[in-house]
């Protein structure tokens, strides 16, 4: 090869199709990434670890916008860290979702005319495993569509063998430490799911009901109580008043008659009662109300259950066998007939708890259940944040966290289901109770049986950060990847999941919290800020948008809305705009490649570069530094916005356009600019990759010939800054922008050429005359050049000859008409705002509208007058 041939730049790369087609690119690209093992993590690596666990989606679930949002953020973090040289693990898996999964399979059985009881426990559980194998986990395939860079070989399921061993181990340890106990207490009971549920699985909403005031007792010994649940009066065992309420002092310690029952109940004094609320007296039903249960405990009251697990009345008498709502109406009617109803308020709107799974109204119920004593666990979880071992981001969310963990009640962990981790406790024929660990032999023999309940789903998912790494075995993965670097999750499950993981992680891992940082995000809402719901008709299947616009477009839209801890509005037109951005990246890179942009060879010295080259490299390094800082602060919206405007505005709309003149002129400046453009595209595509992985992978590999941007090195800020070049190009941009605005104001077509004289001597713009003329479609001044409009901008002067392009007289007449209309609008608005009588009567929004009209009129007058001043005299 000759010396001249060696110095030739690489041939332009024209392999890219003319249009970007996401559907043709995304699937094959993702499978290539997985096949090459880019997302796998090696516990033997000497790279620093970076770990994030996926909030495990339910095995019954499918990808919704909330998943897509959260997964986009996690994927962006892990892709960047992988490029920065970390041994990165994004741990995937699914939750067995006890109630939800059991409900799905029971519905399937219902179609066959069967119930789980027809099958029996063992056969039913086998049926659920069969359902999981055939229908569960469709979300895994959808995650691939989105581009999730998870370590698929490490995928776990909360009911698999290893995680089941972890559940049994921690239950045994907590039991032995007397942090798990069995007791009869009030729980939230779902009469539809036929199981206890925890406080955080109860959804409260305002329902219409009735408030009835009932007279207990007779004459001077009577007390009026009010209730929204008249049916529970059958289980009343006292009436409570405040100890200092003189109205009822004579009754405290005495008994009064409980209507309809023939029983007499005591009047007790308890400080829990608010003497200012209602009549100052409350009925006490210890078996059907949590507050009443506590009063009952303090006063040794009996707890009389009057409903079964289906919320059907069991108390003897005419109401036995009635559903609770039927009984409510019948009891009120019976009390009314006896003259016991003092007042009725209907409808009475009040907050009512509902099962988060099936929406059935919750029934507080006295029941024997298993509990976690959360006091010491919750204190440890609070201390870990207070002493800085764990950071909550954004910091203002700390208060919400502390409000929860500092006031946490003991956690009911038993569920009356068949699908789930069965409680590892055996009962003997003589009242023996034995908790069995994974290495223990379960007791056998006549009369021994295992507890029939299973554990709350959140019990097993609370172990997720370490059980997925092999705990309780001391595995290499556990040593390498625990604690997690960050937990990315919604503020809505701060209590459901985050607090559970904090308690269990600190307990099981000798005081080491499960993660260093908790990064909380908001909820995805529609473009008007309304919660998405099928019932509202605004729910969106993210797969539809991915099919239509590409996965990158959906991801970029979600990331641009992700301000920490704040809800995210999203609309289809925004996704379409992100698709346009992906197309812009594609088209601009393709154009650059066809014009010789290259990454071959070292970047030229700054001395060989033009001001335009130095400007874009200076801006590039500033953006690298800015994006890095924003990533560390979890400011996804700001970093996405910074990348959008840098790529679209500065690289594609300015640098590429300014470089065209240089490329056309050829020579060394052109070769330098081609290398600079290649560098800028290389770095920009890397910066964009974590958020928009598919289009950037295709473009980057084509540009560089590299194996994959997934494993490319993350850009570093070189420190190069050139403020003089930045100011020079800002001046250039000012000239071009101002002249373009003037041309548009005069009605000139974008491609229409206009004779112009440029006075640039003595300014930093002198070297840019060719670029200015090309971008502004300005011809050289001819012999008959007449400066009909002169624009002084950035120390330079642009004189235009519009005599052959516009009818100056007609344009002046048009503008004069517009000016008169604007001045008339201003006069009318000024007159109204000066009218005191009008201001006194007009609503605020009307006055504000007129003030807006005045502001707009002033702006129009200034704009039109400036256009007139620039026109030559007719």
């Amino acid at each position: 090869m000759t010396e001249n041939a060696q110095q030739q730049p690489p041939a332009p790369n024209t392999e890219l199709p003319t249009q970007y087609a996401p559907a043709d690119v995304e699937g094959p690209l993702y499978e290539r990434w997985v096949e090459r093992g880019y997302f796998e993590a090696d516990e033997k690596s000497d790279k620093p670890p970076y770990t994030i666990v996926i909030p495990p989606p339910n095995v019954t679930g499918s990808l919704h916008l909330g998943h897509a949002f959260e997964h986009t953020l996690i994927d962006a973090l892990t892709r960047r860290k992988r490029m920065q040289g970390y041994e990165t693990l994004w741990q995937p898996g699914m939750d067995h979702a006890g109630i939800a999964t059991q409900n799905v399979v029971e519905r399937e059985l219902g179609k066959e005319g069967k119930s789980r009881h027809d099958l029996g426990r063992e056969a039913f559980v086998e049926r659920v495993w069969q359902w999981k194998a055939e229908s569960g986990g469709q979300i895994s395939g959808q995650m691939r569509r989105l581009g999730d860079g998870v370590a698929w070989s490490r995928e776990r399921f909360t009911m698999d063998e290893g995680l089941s061993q972890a559940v049994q181990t921690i239950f045994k340890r907590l039991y032995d430490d007397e942090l798990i106990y069995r007791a009869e207490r009030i729980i939230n009971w779902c009469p539809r799911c036929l199981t206890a549920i925890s406080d955080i699985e109860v959804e409260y909403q305002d329902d219409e009901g009735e408030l009835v005031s009932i007279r207990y007792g007779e004459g001077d010994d009577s007390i009026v109580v009010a209730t929204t649940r008249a049916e529970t009066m059958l289980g009343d065992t006292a009436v409570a008043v405040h100890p200092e309420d003189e109205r009822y002092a004579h009754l405290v310690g005495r008994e009064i008659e409980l209507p309809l029952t023939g029983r007499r109940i005591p009047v007790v004094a308890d400080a829990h009662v608010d003497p200012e609320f209602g009549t100052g007296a409350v009925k006490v039903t210890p078996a059907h109300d949590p507050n009443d249960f506590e009063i009952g405990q303090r006063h040794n009251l009996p707890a009389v259950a009057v409903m079964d697990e289906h919320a059907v009345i069991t108390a003897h008498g005419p109401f036995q066998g009635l559903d609770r709502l039927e009984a409510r109406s019948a009891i009120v009617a019976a009390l009314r007939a006896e003259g016991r109803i003092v007042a009725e308020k209907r409808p009475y709107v009040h907050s009512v708890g509902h099962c988060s799974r099936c929406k059935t109204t919750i029934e507080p119920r006295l029941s024997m259940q298993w509990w976690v004593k959360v006091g010491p666990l919750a204190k440890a979880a609070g201390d870990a944040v207070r002493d800085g071992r764990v950071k909550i981001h954004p910091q203002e969310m700390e208060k919400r966290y502390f409000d929860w963990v500092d006031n946490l009640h003991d956690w009911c962990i038993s569920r009356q289901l068949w699908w789930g981790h069965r409680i590892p406790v055996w009962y003997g024929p003589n009242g023996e109770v034995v908790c069995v660990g994974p290495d223990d032999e379960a007791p056998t023999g006549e009369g021994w049986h295992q507890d029939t309940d299973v554990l709350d789903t959140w019990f097993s998912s609370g172990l997720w950060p370490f059980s997925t790494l092999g705990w309780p075995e001391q595995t290499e993965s556990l040593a390498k990847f625990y604690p997690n670097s960050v937990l990315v999750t919604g503020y809505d499950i701060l209590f459901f999941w985050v607090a559970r993981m904090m308690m269990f992680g600190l307990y099981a891992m000798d005081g080491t919290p499960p993660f260093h940082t908790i990064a909380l995000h908001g909820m995805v809402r529609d473009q008007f800020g309304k919660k998405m719901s099928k019932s509202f008709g605004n729910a969106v299947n993210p797969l539809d948008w991915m099919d239509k616009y590409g996965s990158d477009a959906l991801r970029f839209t979600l990331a641009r809305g992700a301000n920490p801890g704040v809800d995210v509005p999203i609309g289809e037109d925004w996704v379409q705009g992100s698709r346009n951005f992906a197309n812009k990246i594609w088209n601009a890179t393709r154009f650059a490649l066809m014009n010789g942009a290259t990454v071959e060879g070292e970047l030229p010295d700054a001395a060989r570069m033009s001001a335009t080259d130095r400007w874009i490299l200076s801006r590039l390094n500033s953006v690298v530094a800015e994006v890095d800082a924003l990533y560390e602060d979890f400011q996804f919206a700001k970093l996405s916005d910074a990348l959008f405007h840098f790529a679209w505005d500065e690289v594609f709309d300015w640098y590429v356009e300014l470089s065209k003149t240089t490329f056309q002129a050829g020579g060394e400046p052109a070769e330098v600019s081609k290398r600079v453009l290649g560098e800028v595209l290389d770095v920009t595509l890397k910066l964009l990759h974590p958020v928009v992985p598919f289009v950037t992978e295709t473009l980057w590999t084509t540009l560089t010939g590299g194996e994959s941007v997934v494993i490319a090195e993350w850009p570093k800020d070189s420190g190069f800054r050139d403020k003089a070049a930045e100011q020079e190009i800002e001046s250039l941009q000012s000239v071009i922008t101002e002249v373009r605005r003037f041309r548009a104001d005069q009605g000139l077509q974008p491609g229409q050429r206009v004779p112009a004289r440029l006075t640039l001597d003595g300014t930093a713009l002198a070297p840019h005359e060719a670029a200015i003329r090309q971008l502004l479609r300005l011809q050289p001044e001819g012999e008959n050049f007449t400066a009909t409009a002169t624009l002084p901008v950035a120390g330079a002067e642009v004189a235009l000859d519009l005599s052959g392009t516009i009818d100056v007289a007609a344009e002046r007449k048009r503008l004069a008409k517009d000016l008169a209309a604007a001045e008339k609008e201003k006069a009318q608005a000024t007159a109204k705002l000066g009218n005191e009588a009008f201001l006194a009567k007009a609503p605020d929004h009307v006055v504000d509208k007129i003030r807006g009209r005045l502001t707009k009129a002033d702006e129009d007058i200034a704009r039109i007058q400036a256009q007139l001043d620039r026109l030559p005299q007719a």
Side-chain angles (χ1 to χ4, degrees):
M1 183 180 290
T2 66
E3 183 177 346
N4 287 339
Q6 289 177 338
Q7 294 176 346
Q8 291 298 312
N13 192 328
T14 57
E15 295 177 12
L16 291 173
T18 55
Q19 291 185 324
Y20 176 50
D24 297 338
V25 169
E26 293 172 353
L29 263 189
Y30 188 84
E31 292 309 314
R32 190 183 315 153
W33 292 334
V34 172
E35 288 167 7
R36 293 178 178 178
Y38 293 155
F39 305 140
E40 296 302 324
D42 182 6
E43 57 269 6
K44 300 182 187 302
S45 166
D46 58 1
K47 296 179 182 178
Y50 186 81
T51 316
I52 296 181
V53 294
I54 196 171
N58 287 353
V59 68
T60 59
S62 59
L63 190 74
H64 57 63
L65 271 178
H67 288 130
F69 172 55
E70 186 168 80
H71 291 198
T72 294
L73 305 188
I74 299 175
D75 198 40
L77 290 174
T78 52
R79 284 179 183 270
R80 172 175 173 262
K81 285 295 182 180
R82 189 178 293 111
M83 295 172 74
Q84 286 183 314
Y86 287 78
E87 192 62 37
T88 303
L89 170 61
W90 182 9
Q91 173 66 54
M94 286 184 293
D95 192 284
H96 66 278
I99 296 176
T101 307
Q102 181 157 317
N103 283 347
V104 167
V105 178
E106 285 196 84
R107 282 196 296 270
E108 293 296 316
L109 285 173
K111 296 175 184 177
E112 302 170 15
K114 298 177 182 178
S115 73
R116 61 181 164 125
H117 300 285
D118 294 323
L119 272 66
R121 183 169 193 143
E122 186 175 337
F124 176 77
V125 171
E126 181 59 36
R127 177 71 175 259
V128 180
W129 280 108
Q130 179 184 338
W131 175 87
K132 176 188 178 292
E134 295 174 356
S135 305
Q138 63 173 313
I139 195 170
S140 296
Q142 295 165 346
M143 288 165 58
R144 293 170 181 264
R145 283 287 314 278
L146 190 65
D148 286 3
V150 300
W152 286 112
S153 69
R154 293 172 176 262
E155 187 174 15
R156 304 304 298 269
F157 179 55
T158 51
M159 286 280 286
D160 68 25
E161 184 177 352
L163 271 66
S164 294
Q165 181 185 12
V167 168
Q168 195 172 353
T169 299
I170 202 162
F171 187 100
K172 171 69 171 172
R173 290 188 187 179
L174 289 165
Y175 181 87
D176 290 346
D177 288 343
E178 298 183 351
L179 293 173
I180 282 183
Y181 64 93
R182 192 169 185 243
E184 189 175 43
R185 297 174 60 179
I186 291 286
I187 47 90
N188 302 299
W189 181 263
C190 176
R192 158 63 183 80
C193 297
L194 296 180
T195 183
I197 63 174
S198 65
D199 292 343
I200 51 180
E201 292 172 300
V202 179
E203 293 180 349
Y204 288 90
Q205 65 184 50
D206 288 340
D207 286 356
E208 284 192 1
E210 60 180 353
L211 180 68
V212 293
S213 298
I214 309 168
R215 178 171 52 83
Y216 287 14
E218 302 291 344
D220 293 338
D221 290 350
S222 66
I223 293 183
V224 174
V225 298
T227 181
T228 58
R229 301 167 67 221
E231 69 279 8
T232 63
M233 68 161 290
L234 300 175
D236 286 0
T237 56
V239 171
V241 297
H242 193 275
E244 298 176 5
D245 194 334
E246 295 181 358
R247 293 172 295 175
Y248 305 116
H250 68 290
L251 289 176
V252 174
R254 296 171 59 183
E255 291 186 342
I256 59 174
E257 182 181 348
L258 177 65
L260 305 180
T261 67
R263 288 193 288 117
R264 294 184 68 78
I265 58 176
V267 178
V268 299
D270 194 279
H272 171 76
V273 180
D274 180 1
E276 302 297 324
F277 184 76
T279 63
V282 297
K283 59 191 287 297
V284 182
T285 321
H288 293 281
D289 184 274
N291 294 321
D292 292 3
F293 177 79
E294 298 297 333
I295 294 174
Q297 293 287 294
R298 288 193 288 271
H299 298 276
N300 296 314
L301 300 173
V304 178
V306 296
M307 276 180 257
D308 66 11
E309 65 270 24
H310 298 281
V312 171
I313 300 298
T314 58
H316 294 297
F319 312 109
Q320 186 174 6
L322 294 180
D323 172 78
R324 56 182 167 170
L325 298 181
E326 296 172 333
R328 183 177 300 171
S329 300
I331 287 170
V332 170
L335 290 167
R336 191 184 297 113
E338 289 191 4
R340 294 281 180 179
I341 300 296
V342 176
E344 296 180 70
K345 185 174 183 180
R346 190 184 295 110
Y348 178 71
V349 178
H350 61 130
S351 182
V352 178
H354 295 260
C355 173
S356 62
R357 303 293 182 186
C358 68
K359 312 309 177 187
T360 300
T361 299
I362 288 300
E363 190 62 48
R365 184 169 186 250
L366 186 64
S367 179
M368 183 67 76
Q369 301 286 344
W370 286 95
W371 305 80
V372 172
K373 184 180 180 181
V374 299
L377 302 175
K379 182 181 183 305
D383 290 345
V385 175
R386 287 189 169 95
D387 64 25
R389 281 176 290 158
V390 178
K391 305 287 187 186
I392 293 181
H393 192 279
Q395 190 174 1
E396 55 265 27
M397 287 286 182
E398 281 186 4
K399 182 181 184 302
R400 185 180 292 197
Y401 176 79
F402 291 135
D403 286 346
W404 179 255
V405 297
D406 293 347
N407 299 285
L408 202 55
H409 298 295
D410 284 0
W411 172 19
C412 176
I413 56 172
S414 45
R415 299 290 181 267
Q416 290 64 55
L417 303 171
W418 287 355
W419 172 246
H421 295 101
R422 196 163 173 182
I423 289 177
V425 172
W426 271 254
Y427 304 104
N430 299 311
E432 302 95 333
V433 179
V434 177
C435 181
V436 177
D439 299 323
D440 301 332
E441 289 289 335
T444 57
E446 187 176 351
W448 283 93
H449 64 280
Q450 187 178 359
D451 195 299
T452 57
D453 288 351
V454 300
L455 287 163
D456 179 9
T457 299
W458 297 103
F459 190 94
S460 53
S461 60
L463 314 181
W464 192 248
F466 51 93
S467 64
T468 52
L469 297 173
W471 187 91
E473 302 299 325
Q474 298 305 305
T475 64
E476 288 183 298
S477 288
L478 190 64
K480 177 74 174 182
F481 295 114
Y482 187 92
N484 290 190
S485 306
V486 62
L487 172 74
V488 179
T489 192
Y491 63 71
D492 58 315
I493 58 171
L494 183 61
F495 316 132
F496 283 84
W497 191 44
V498 179
R500 310 300 194 209
M501 288 189 290
M502 285 287 284
M503 291 191 295
F504 283 164
L506 289 159
Y507 173 79
M509 300 300 293
D510 301 319
T512 302
F515 17 74
H516 297 301
T517 302
I518 301 168
L520 298 171
H521 58 72
M523 311 289 289
V524 179
R525 297 181 177 272
D526 71 11
Q527 64 196 75
F528 306 108
K530 190 174 181 180
K531 181 179 178 180
M532 285 192 172
S533 166
K534 290 181 180 178
S535 60
F536 294 156
N538 63 349
V540 173
N541 183 344
L543 296 172
D544 293 340
W545 281 352
M546 287 192 280
D547 288 342
K548 194 170 183 180
Y549 303 111
S551 298
D552 284 334
L554 176 64
R555 290 172 60 119
F556 194 69
T557 304
L558 291 166
R560 283 193 83 182
N563 291 297
V566 179
D567 288 346
V568 183
I570 185 172
E572 185 171 0
D573 54 336
W574 303 345
V575 185
Q576 184 175 354
S578 295
R579 188 271 313 273
N580 295 343
F581 178 52
N583 288 342
K584 182 77 171 182
I585 300 170
W586 182 274
N587 293 333
T589 305
R590 182 173 178 273
F591 170 84
L593 288 168
M594 294 179 67
N595 282 273
T598 180
V599 296
E600 297 293 326
E602 294 294 322
L603 198 61
D605 292 337
R608 296 174 57 201
M609 296 181 191
S610 67
T612 309
D613 295 331
R614 298 195 307 276
W615 159 72
I616 198 62
L617 289 175
S618 180
R619 287 293 305 127
L620 178 68
N621 280 283
S622 294
V623 169
V624 169
E626 180 183 7
V627 168
D628 273 335
L630 292 170
Y631 260 117
E632 295 304 314
D633 200 33
F634 304 101
Q635 297 282 357
F636 296 98
K638 290 182 179 178
L639 71 88
S640 298
D641 211 47
L643 287 170
F644 173 86
H645 287 294
F646 175 70
W648 192 308
D649 300 343
E650 298 185 76
V651 178
F652 303 146
D653 279 359
W654 282 108
Y655 184 70
V656 169
E657 291 300 313
L658 289 170
S659 298
K660 287 179 180 178
T661 307
T662 308
F663 293 159
Q664 290 172 1
E668 184 186 15
E671 298 309 311
V672 170
S673 290
K674 289 174 183 177
R675 179 64 187 89
V676 170
L677 179 53
E679 181 76 10
V680 171
L681 289 175
D682 176 18
V683 173
T684 302
L685 291 170
K686 288 176 181 175
L687 292 175
L688 283 165
H689 173 72
V691 181
V692 284
F694 294 107
V695 67
T696 51
E697 170 80 341
T698 305
L699 295 174
W700 186 86
T701 52
T702 304
L703 170 70
T704 67
E707 180 183 341
S708 172
V709 72
V710 175
I711 55 173
E713 185 177 351
W714 181 254
K716 292 184 176 67
D717 175 10
S718 70
F720 176 79
R721 300 289 190 279
D722 192 326
K723 292 300 178 185
E726 289 190 33
Q727 291 173 359
E728 182 173 327
I729 301 306
E730 285 173 9
S731 297
L732 175 61
Q733 290 171 331
S734 296
V735 170
I736 292 171
T737 301
E738 186 63 26
V739 176
R740 279 176 173 167
R741 183 182 297 117
F742 176 75
R743 287 175 57 110
D745 288 343
Q746 306 309 314
L748 297 178
Q749 295 300 315
Q752 190 172 352
R753 295 196 168 275
V754 178
R757 180 175 64 238
L758 306 185
T759 306
L760 308 176
D761 293 343
T763 73
L765 297 173
H768 301 285
E769 179 168 353
I772 293 172
R773 287 191 177 276
Q774 178 167 318
L775 292 175
L776 291 173
R777 305 294 191 270
L778 302 181
Q779 297 175 185
E781 52 187 298
E783 293 182 6
N784 299 320
F785 178 84
T786 303
T788 58
T790 302
L791 306 176
V793 188
E797 187 176 271
V798 179
L800 303 174
D801 184 354
L802 304 178
S803 57
T805 57
I806 62 172
D807 184 334
V808 175
E811 185 64 13
R812 277 193 167 277
K813 185 176 180 180
R814 182 185 70 80
L815 289 173
K817 183 178 179 182
D818 291 346
L819 181 62
E823 288 173 339
K824 181 179 179 181
E825 175 73 3
K826 177 179 179 178
Q828 290 174 343
T830 301
K832 283 194 174 183
L833 294 174
N835 185 334
E836 293 296 335
F838 169 77
L839 293 177
K841 295 180 181 178
D844 289 346
H845 73 275
V846 172
V847 176
D848 288 343
K849 185 175 180 180
I850 293 172
R851 288 195 179 110
R853 285 169 50 193
L854 178 59
T855 300
K856 173 77 165 46
D858 281 334
E859 292 172 350
D860 288 344
I861 290 169
R863 175 179 55 79
I864 297 167
Q865 189 61 60
Q867 290 176 243
L868 281 167
D869 292 343
R870 288 169 178 160
L871 282 175
Q873 296 300 316

